[in-house]
């Protein structure tokens, strides 16, 4: 492809009508099906396998048996003990994400990634937070979101294909607290536009994290993310936000990834814990839901990427609680 981010809406109006063996619209000279073609093929649901068991000696969150959502009206500023537990759990979640991410390859099913995540969480002495969370309750231990799936994809029998991008969202519950982190991975060789999307999305999370300061409104975060994404010609998904996290998976605190002047003003303060998890789209940011009640996809079928960290506000900025011990972020650079 000639210009990395040079594809605009006009370039992308026609590809939907190209046939597989036509030369690709991007001018690469390759067949459409071998070049940008895969970017226009929709993800289809596969078969979801049975729920995996959790041994009795693993401590469970309150929703594990009956499903149900988080309690929203809990404090977002943590005491010292809770924070110490969140440091340990966050780090362990980052290690699980790294390990599951290492298994991403063409031919691997998302259900296999679910098995790896489930076993890694148990091996870490924790519970995979997604399992049985919500209403309807999420049936698996990790969210796997491929291509135009924005978030909350349910692992199933679909094998990853060369050229896909996949987000793995890991949340671990241990010592009474959740650590929530995700990253987007290339499957085999991906097209240049997808690579740009992943890089810009990672930068969006970096910019959001840099905007965290005690005394400042949480809206600084969304403004920084939106400016960066739109500056690169991409869009910000609005329907899903970052959230307060700690003893509950999702508290009533919402961290927007775009600027909304009408949003409630919340001032960041030391000890406050929340996630930042921008979902950035190549095209439309509007959402459509699959019938499973969880899988969220873009209305135009174009790709999205996401990165997420759990963090705590400090006296002069923030500390990332879901940093891997080696300090590097997971996912495609
Ligand atoms: N980990 C997701 C988040 O970042 C939430 C997943 S909810 C689930 O907020 F039930 F789908 F797992
Ligand atoms: Co989250
Ligand atoms: Co998450």
């Amino acid at each position: 492809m000639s210009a990395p981010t040079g594809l605009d809406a006009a370039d992308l109006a026609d590809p939907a009508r190209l046939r597989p063996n036509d030369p690709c619209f991007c001018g690469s000279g390759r067949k459409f099906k071998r070049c940008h073609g895969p970017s226009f093929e929709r993800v289809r649901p596969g078969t979801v396998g049975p729920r995996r068991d959790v041994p009795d000696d693993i401590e469970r969150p309150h929703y594990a048996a009956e499903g149900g959502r988080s309690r929203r009206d809990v404090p977002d500023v943590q005491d010292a003990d809770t924070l110490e537990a969140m440091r340990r759990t966050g780090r362990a979640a980052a290690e699980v994400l790294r390990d599951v991410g290492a298994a991403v390859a063409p031919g691997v099913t998302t259900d296999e990634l679910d098995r790896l995540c489930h076993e890694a969480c148990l091996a870490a002495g924790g519970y995979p937070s997604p399992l049985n969370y919500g209403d309807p309750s999420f049936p698996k231990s990790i969210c796997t979101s491929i291509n135009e799936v924005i978030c909350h994809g349910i692992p199933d029998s679909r094998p990853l294909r060369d050229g896909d991008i996949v987000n793995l969202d890991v949340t671990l519950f241990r010592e009474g607290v959740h650590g929530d982190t995700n990253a987007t991975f290339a499957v085999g060789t991906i097209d240049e536009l997808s690579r740009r999307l992943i890089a810009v999305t990672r930068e969006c999370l970096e910019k959001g994290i840099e905007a965290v300061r005690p005394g400042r409104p949480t809206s600084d975060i969304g403004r920084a993310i939106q400016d960066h994404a739109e500056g690169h010609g991409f869009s910000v998904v609005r329907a899903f936000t970052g959230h307060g996290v700690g003893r509950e998976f999702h508290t009533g605190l919402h961290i927007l990834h775009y600027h909304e002047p009408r949003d409630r003003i919340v001032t960041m303060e030391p000890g406050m814990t929340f996630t930042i998890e921008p979902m950035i789209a190549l095209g439309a940011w509007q959402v459509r839901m699959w019938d499973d009640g969880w899988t969220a996809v873009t209305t135009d079928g174009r790709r999205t990427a996401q990165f997420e960290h759990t963090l705590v506000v400090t006296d002069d900025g923030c500390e990332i609680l879901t940093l891997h011990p080696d300090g590097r972020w997971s996912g495609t650079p």
Side-chain angles (χ1 to χ4, degrees):
M1 197 168 82
S2 45
T5 53
L7 296 172
D8 59 20
D11 294 319
L12 296 164
D14 282 336
R17 291 198 294 272
L18 281 177
R19 282 160 308 164
N21 289 322
D22 289 342
C24 192
F25 64 84
C26 76
S28 66
R30 298 161 70 212
K31 287 181 178 175
F32 175 59
K33 71 176 177 196
R34 300 239 163 270
C35 192
H36 278 87
S39 321
F40 295 91
E41 230 169 84
R42 305 279 170 124
V43 174
R44 289 206 310 268
T47 307
V48 178
R51 283 174 205 243
R52 299 180 194 282
D53 291 330
V54 176
D56 287 339
D57 60 334
I58 297 278
E59 157 199 11
R60 294 152 199 265
H62 59 80
Y63 54 80
E66 309 280 335
R69 299 203 177 86
S70 294
R71 308 182 180 105
R72 304 273 155 170
D73 54 344
V74 293
D76 287 298
V77 176
Q78 312 300 346
D79 60 49
D81 286 348
T82 302
L83 203 50
E84 269 310 311
M86 287 186 74
R87 284 197 178 91
R88 290 187 291 268
T89 299
R91 212 167 244 264
E95 292 181 297
V96 173
L97 176 60
R98 178 70 58 81
D99 292 350
V100 180
V104 168
V108 175
T109 65
T110 49
D111 190 59
E112 172 64 7
L113 300 175
D114 181 69
R115 187 183 67 78
L116 291 170
C117 179
H118 187 83
E119 284 170 9
C121 288
L122 301 184
Y127 177 98
S129 306
L131 186 62
N132 280 334
Y133 178 72
D135 180 20
S137 68
F138 195 82
K140 289 283 163 182
S141 299
I142 187 174
C143 300
T144 53
S145 302
I146 300 169
N147 300 345
E148 76 270 21
V149 180
I150 296 166
C151 62
H152 304 164
I154 301 173
D156 65 19
S157 57
R158 182 191 186 281
L160 297 173
R161 298 195 205 149
D162 188 53
D164 283 344
I165 62 173
V166 62
N167 177 274
L168 304 182
D169 193 342
V170 168
T171 313
L172 178 69
F173 178 78
R174 200 179 69 183
E175 297 183 61
V177 297
H178 299 268
D180 189 6
T181 182
N182 76 46
T184 301
F185 298 79
V187 182
T189 310
I190 59 171
D191 66 84
E192 189 54 33
L193 191 57
S194 296
R195 191 166 291 287
R196 285 294 303 153
L197 174 67
I198 295 175
V200 169
T201 305
R202 174 191 289 263
E203 290 159 12
C204 282
L205 177 53
E206 287 166 358
K207 304 275 178 197
I209 290 172
E210 282 166 20
V212 176
R213 278 197 179 280
R216 296 291 309 168
T218 53
S219 57
D220 281 5
I221 298 168
R223 194 197 305 265
I225 291 170
Q226 184 172 17
D227 284 351
H228 192 66
E230 293 181 358
H232 285 270
F234 301 146
S235 70
V236 179
V237 172
R238 267 97 160 131
F240 302 95
T241 67
H243 51 92
V245 61
R247 296 194 173 276
E248 292 292 328
F249 197 168
H250 296 102
T251 77
L253 172 63
H254 296 276
I255 305 294
L256 274 52
H257 303 121
Y258 60 98
H259 189 62
E260 171 52 75
R262 290 163 301 182
D263 194 34
R264 180 170 69 102
I265 295 170
V266 176
T267 305
M268 295 183 261
E269 46 179 306
M272 204 180 249
T273 53
F274 53 79
T275 72
I276 306 178
E277 47 183 299
M279 286 139 276
I280 306 301
L282 286 181
W285 52 265
Q286 285 85 355
V287 174
R288 197 175 63 74
M289 297 299 295
W290 281 7
D291 292 340
D292 62 22
W294 279 103
T295 309
V297 297
T298 55
T299 50
D300 63 0
R302 296 190 65 202
R303 293 181 168 194
T304 66
Q306 183 181 22
F307 284 84
E308 173 177 30
H309 276 304
T310 297
L311 50 90
V312 57
V313 182
T314 60
D315 291 333
D316 59 356
C318 73
E319 175 190 336
I320 301 174
L321 298 173
T322 44
L323 208 51
H324 188 277
D326 73 9
R328 288 186 298 111
W329 290 25
S330 285
T332 296

